Amino acid sequence: MSDRKIKAVEFDNITFGYTNKVTNLDKVSFEIYENEYICIIGQNGSGKSTLSKILTGLLQPRSGTIRLFGQIVNKMNIKHLRDNIGIVFQNPDNQFIGLTAEDDIAFGLENRKVDPNRMSDIIHATAKMVNIEDLLQKEATSLSGGQKQRVAIASVLAINPKVIIFDESTSMLDPKAKRELKNLMLVLKNKFNKTVVSITHDMEEVTNADRVIIMNQGKLLKIGNPKEIFEDRSFLQNVALDVPFSLQLSKSLLDLGVNIQPNLQINDLVEQIWKLK
C-alpha cells in the first residue's frame, strides 16, 4: 500500500440486531484500506457474517454509519455500494444461476444492462483472470465445488467491484480447491489491486492477510497484523481460536530444543529446518 492510504470501508459504531431484544453487533468500528487483504475471524455467532451482510447492503444497521470510499452508504446511494462491492458466498451452488458457466457470468452484466457487444469480451477477460476459460460452456452439474467457486468469483469480477468479500468461501472445498482459492485471493489483491475481505475459520489463510479483525459475541476485540495476533496465545485461547499449524509445529520443535524462529508461513519454516541439516 502507498503511504497515503485510501479508506475503502469505514464502520463507525455499527449496531445491529436480528430482533429488537437481541444485539448481534454492538458499536463496531473499523477501517479497511484500498488494496488491503483483511481476514475477519471469530467463533460461530461472533458476528462475522452479519458484518458481511451489512457491508453488502443485505441488512441495515440499527445505528451507526458506513462509508464506502468516503461516501455514506444509505438507501439513496445503494447503486454506489452495488457497483463497488461483490460477495462470494460459502456454497457456490447458491450463486450459480445460469445453465452454463458463461451464462452465469453474463447474468450480472445483463442485470446492469451492459452493451451485449461488450459482454463477450468481459466474460472471457474475467474467465482468464480466474483460469476457467475452458469451463465456459460447461453446465453446473459437471463442475466440481472448486470450479463452481471460481465461476462465482468470475461472476463477481465481471462487474469489476473494488472490494470483494469472501464469506466462508473455502469451508466447503476440498484441500486442493482451498489452496487454489487462497492463492487466488492473493492474486486479486496483488495483481488486480482488489480490496479483499475474507470471513474465515481457516487459520492458515489468516497468515496471508495484511490485518486481522477478531470478533467475539458481537464485539470487535482486536485488530492487528497476523504476527501481532498470533503472538498472544493466551488471548487466542480465551476466545477459543486456534493458531496456524506452522506456529504449532514451531513451538513443538522449540520445546524439543531445535534452534528455529517461529514462523507463520509453513514454507519458510521448512526452509529453516532444511538449513539445520
Side-chain angles (χ1 to χ4, degrees), residues 15-188:
T15 296
F16 173 83
Y18 287 98
T19 69
N20 292 331
K21 295 181 179 180
V22 176
T23 298
N24 299 90
L25 293 179
D26 187 10
K27 297 179 179 178
V28 174
S29 297
F30 60 82
E31 298 170 346
I32 298 173
Y33 296 100
E34 188 175 42
N35 194 216
E36 189 173 28
Y37 179 6
I38 293 285
C39 280
I40 302 176
I41 62 175
Q43 290 297 303
N44 290 335
S46 63
K48 306 185 304 300
S49 289
T50 302
L51 278 179
S52 73
K53 291 179 176 65
I54 288 176
L55 183 53
T56 53
L58 297 175
L59 298 174
Q60 297 296 316
R62 282 183 194 162
S63 61
T65 302
I66 303 169
R67 286 182 174 83
L68 181 62
F69 293 99
Q71 290 190 32
I72 292 177
V73 175
N74 54 38
K75 293 179 181 178
M76 302 300 294
N77 67 354
I78 199 72
K79 185 177 184 302
H80 173 66
L81 183 148
R82 299 281 189 242
D83 288 345
N84 285 285
I85 290 186
I87 185 167
V88 179
F89 293 105
Q90 180 179 28
N91 187 344
D93 287 323
N94 293 341
Q95 243 173 305
F96 212 107
I97 296 170
L99 180 64
T100 66
E102 184 174 24
D103 294 337
D104 197 69
I105 300 170
F107 181 79
L109 299 173
E110 291 168 347
N111 278 347
R112 285 167 171 77
K113 297 181 172 59
V114 172
D115 184 346
N117 294 323
R118 294 179 52 228
M119 283 177 53
S120 179
D121 288 342
I122 295 172
I123 290 168
H124 282 86
T126 53
K128 185 176 181 180
M129 288 170 69
V130 296
N131 196 26
I132 59 164
E133 292 169 287
D134 59 330
L135 303 179
L136 287 176
Q137 303 307 317
K138 301 268 189 180
E139 296 186 8
T141 52
S142 67
L143 300 178
S144 68
Q147 289 172 330
K148 289 177 184 176
Q149 200 67 286
R150 283 179 175 266
V151 173
I153 295 167
S155 300
V156 170
L157 289 173
I159 62 173
N160 198 27
K162 294 180 179 178
V163 181
I164 301 178
I165 301 169
F166 292 85
D167 191 354
E168 302 281 6
S169 301
T170 64
S171 63
M172 298 183 69
L173 302 180
D174 60 50
K176 180 177 181 291
K178 280 186 180 183
R179 287 193 303 272
E180 290 175 347
L181 181 52
K182 286 185 280 189
N183 288 335
L184 180 56
M185 290 180 193
L186 291 172
V187 170
L188 293 174

